[in-house]
């Protein structure tokens, strides 16, 4: 069994913030206001999962994939 298999995140719409924090490590606070809280869960070097809480309940999940806009290749002469 690989380490990747063991590191599954548990994210379900409607779960409470405390349930979310207990079931997901590592998790990073990304933004907090009076209306909502956003956490970031790293997936790998090119992807993060952002989870949005309103009134203590998970209401939205968004995956962000990071891709470079420009790739520079060095040519060898």
């Amino acid at each position: 069994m690989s380490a990747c298999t063991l590191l599954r995140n548990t994210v379900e719409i409607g779960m409470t913030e405390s349930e979310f924090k207990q079931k997901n490590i590592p998790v990073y606070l990304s933004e907090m206001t009076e209306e909502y809280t956003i956490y970031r869960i790293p997936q790998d070097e090119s992807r993060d999962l952002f989870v949005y809480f309103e009134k203590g309940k998970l209401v939205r999940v968004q995956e962000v994939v990071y891709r470079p806009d420009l790739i520079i290749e060095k040519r060898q002469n």
Side-chain angles (χ1 to χ4, degrees):
M1 189 176 282
S2 72
C4 292
T5 306
L6 297 173
L7 296 176
R8 295 273 184 225
N9 294 310
T10 304
V11 178
E12 299 172 10
I13 299 295
M15 72 187 315
T16 66
E17 230 170 308
S18 59
E19 287 176 309
F20 168 76
K21 289 180 192 178
Q22 289 173 357
K23 295 180 179 182
N24 295 283
I25 297 175
V27 60
Y28 301 97
L29 178 64
S30 184
E31 186 174 344
M32 179 184 277
T33 70
E34 289 183 16
E35 292 83 32
Y36 61 86
T37 305
I38 303 171
Y39 292 96
R40 179 178 63 88
I41 306 172
Q43 299 298 295
D44 57 38
E45 58 277 342
S46 65
R47 295 181 310 127
D48 284 334
L49 208 60
F50 287 88
V51 292
Y52 297 76
F53 287 86
E54 290 180 7
K55 299 178 185 169
K57 297 280 184 182
L58 188 113
V59 294
R60 180 175 158 206
V61 178
Q62 178 182 4
E63 180 181 42
V64 175
V65 178
Y66 304 105
R67 297 185 186 136
D69 293 331
L70 177 65
I71 299 174
I72 301 172
E73 294 181 12
K74 183 178 179 180
R75 293 186 185 192
Q76 296 183 6
N77 295 329

